[in-house]
Amino acid sequence: MGLTNSSIGLNALDSELVIKKKSESDKIVALAGNPNVGKSTVFNSLTGMHQHTGNWPGKTVANAQGYYETKKESYVLVDIPGTYSLSPNSPEEEVARNFICFSKPDAVVVVCDATSLERNLNLVLQTLEISEKVVVCVNLIDEAKRKGIHIDAKLLSERLGVRVVKTVAQKKKSLKELTDAIDETVNSGGEKFVLHCEKELDEAIEEIEKKIKPYLKGKIDARWLALRLLTEDISIKEETDKLLGKEFLGNEEINNFVRKKIKELKEKGFDKEKINDTVSNARIKKAEEICQGVIRYEKKHYNSFDRKMDRILTSKWTGYPLMLLMLAFIFYLTIVGANYPSEWLFGALFSFEDVLLKVFNYFNAPPWITSLFVSGMYRVTAWVVSVMLPPMAIFFPLFTLLEDSGILPRIAYNLDRPFKCCKSCGKQALTMCMGFGCNAAGVIGARIIDSPRERMLAILTNNFVPCNGRFPTIISLITMFFVAKGGGILSALLLTFVVLMGIGMTFLSTKLLSSTVLKGYPSSFALELPSYRKPQIGSVIVRSIFDRTLFVLGRAISVAAPAGIIIWIMANAHIGGETLLNIVSAFLEPFASLIGLDGVILMAFILGFPANEIVVPIIMMAYMQTGTLSDSQSIWEMKNIFIQNGWTICTAVCTILFSLMHWPCSTTLLTIKKETGSLGWTALGFLVPTVFGVVCCALVNLVYHIII
Amino acid sequence: MKDVFPLSELKKGSFARVYKINTCGAMRRRLIDIGLIKDTKVECIGKSAAGDPRAYLIRGAVIALRDEDSKNILVY
């Protein structure tokens, strides 16, 4: 592929995990499992936490820690990224592997999906090869029951030699058994599992095991390490050095012995690949054997509902139209549903302004202070809250529903082909979807892509889908300039069109990048399509309001308040008879008019760098020139103010386009910096959407002036 | 002699068993991780809206594979 992690700078991932114990006696419990088994739900139910906001759609991409207590013990619970096996294929899986193998947690809970238990057992067995302190948590048991799949936990426990519990993670009650099992396991574990495969290989492993055992002092499982040495797995070097000191892997006596064994095995036909295959095959066969009699299927076609849904959602004729329809419908609900609460919030927040004025007057505050805080800071903040909160509070839950129901992976599945044409992969569609919520989340979400080159593509192009901070701007401009009063459906359709353009630009920029700076071939692709699940409406609302809406809103407000002050100062400070605002916008005017905007709009986008939500309020304030927002806030009066300031249809189109395509907000850029660990790539992340936006706006402006 | 053909040619709704996996590196490991080894039963359950990738039922889980990857998996 040419590009490796280090050449592309994707080394900045948290490869190490710092555990924060509340007290010395806290026990550390790791939560492992395949992707999509409801691991995070188990985590949340146990800790009573809502996963911290770093985790957005689909997958735990960062390590989360939480605390819980039982009558007997207190615990630090560590949620590690989902992984199919302990031989890592990606940096995230390496984090998972390293934590389980090298940090010796007091217990490991392996969460399994009851509907595909056999596959999940592969990870269970691998974990059991390293640690005997394992609890197997067979989750989603309700779903399995619905599909007529029965699991004999008792028999499974006997065969595995460790405790097995069945859970429905959303139901807290069902977790009692799990916490009991963990309590018992931290004090007395079960049995380690010893995997036996072909005789020649087994003997070689055992000999190395015996040889290295004295050096390990019980810190690492000898048999596991023996196999790693035999397959010359270099990915364990760093952690092994840290744990045992550099002397261990540098020990020539051991190295010579291992080399001799490798040579012997090679002569018998066991090269590295063959050894790995043999071991994996033996383990999978073992899992198969264990499952005999443990899993019982009641119905033959237990997946028929999923297949029916798939036939509709992924068929040649209905697949794409349905995806579009869903997108438009979500926008429609968001726009229509947001109208009333928005008006109500306007009313409430602006009548509170009178109260504020009275308070300031009561304390005899100087007029400029009153003006600065009430007309400057408070009004911008109130504006942002009333414009932002309602659409977010509707959009986020709807989006979380899509995510929880299992529809998002189908979107990635359908879009893989188009993305492959741009030499990328369908998983980029998932990060794109996350971008609708927040681009910074989309950038972090790119960790689900294994190939470093494709991950970089997803990171650099994520900004082309408008995030929630930009929706209100685009929606209000569409409604003002292109829709007659009350046209909810038309607004939604136009918004869908704008979003489609953003998606089109995503493809175009991906293609451009992959034929210039990020050359390469599309890597292989294996995506799991999980079962459709009935979303838990209650938890969806709680999660999306508390974890996302309030978080994003908080960020917007913390930016809006100081921005309100800055704008007020700019509008009221005079230099040579001109306000600062006029000077700056006059300076920006020549360039801005080239791309169909004006100085004020461009300035608003620059000031909106920390949060795009404040762009329209700033434009409004600047036009009012008093440096404060008028309290007549109807959207149609706003349109009049815009038109009085020289807006045409072309200005509106260009502002919408520029809102869709310009530099990412400061949070997103910081996230790009963190994820890529390189200033160069961050600069590219800044430039790509900006250049696209400037070119598109300039073209629209040019065409408009030729026609008119 | 059994009739061996690439997985990508497996008809929708029918199933076959793995004969040999002809890829190497990360993809091979990924396939083995999800339980795809010799003699594993694989059922083709459909294709995406664009025709490629296709979805396969492997050990109770549905996995999407591109044709260019699945043509390297021989089945019988």
Side-chain angles (χ1 to χ4, degrees), chain A residues 38 155 237-238 301 329 368 431 448 569 626:
Chain A
L155 186 61
K237 184 174 184 317
E238 200 181 316
H301 298 286
F329 185 63
W368 72 271
T431 67
I448 59 174
I569 293 173
T626 53

Side-chain angles (χ1 to χ4, degrees), chain A residues 418-472:
Chain A
F419 270 112
K420 198 178 98 186
C421 294
C422 307
K423 304 209 169 63
S424 179
C425 74
K427 286 183 190 167
Q428 193 173 337
L430 289 178
T431 67
M432 207 170 72
C433 289
M434 294 181 214
F436 283 123
C438 166
N439 292 125
V443 168
I444 298 176
R447 292 183 185 182
I448 59 174
I449 299 171
D450 295 332
S451 141
R453 188 187 68 87
E454 286 162 19
R455 185 183 302 190
M456 190 58 89
L457 286 171
I459 289 176
L460 294 180
T461 58
N462 194 269
N463 205 49
F464 283 107
V465 287
C467 66
N468 224 298
R470 290 183 276 164
F471 274 130

Side-chain angles (χ1 to χ4, degrees), chain A residues 84-85 87-90 93 115-116 118-119 122 126 273 276-277 280-281 284-285 288 302-303 307 310-311 313-316 319-320 413-414 416-420 424-426 450 522-530, chain B residues 12 15 17 21-41 43-70:
Chain A
Y84 288 110
S85 92
S87 15
N89 281 320
S90 69
E93 294 194 350
T115 62
S116 57
E118 189 185 312
R119 212 260 325 266
N122 191 13
Q126 288 186 49
E273 189 125 291
N276 274 328
D277 279 9
S280 305
N281 286 3
I284 292 169
K285 288 256 167 64
E288 228 171 73
Y302 60 92
N303 269 329
R307 297 295 81 80
D310 272 344
R311 225 170 290 147
L313 278 175
T314 66
S315 99
K316 200 159 120 195
Y320 292 121
Y413 176 54
N414 278 340
D416 179 60
R417 183 69 182 266
F419 270 112
K420 198 178 98 186
S424 179
C425 74
D450 295 332
S523 66
S524 46
F525 174 80
L527 175 76
E528 182 169 359
L529 303 175
Chain B
K12 186 183 157 180
F15 67 87
R17 284 176 191 278
I21 300 174
N22 277 337
T23 45
C24 52
M27 188 60 181
R28 185 187 181 88
R29 256 184 315 179
R30 177 68 82 209
L31 291 172
I32 292 175
D33 285 347
I34 58 175
L36 204 68
I37 56 170
K38 195 173 179 327
D39 299 327
T40 304
K41 184 177 154 187
E43 184 184 340
C44 177
I45 55 174
K47 49 189 175 185
S48 81
D52 175 32
R54 280 170 223 262
Y56 299 95
L57 185 66
I58 301 166
R59 293 185 194 266
V62 180
I63 310 284
L65 295 176
R66 285 179 180 161
D67 284 355
E68 61 186 49
D69 293 317
S70 60

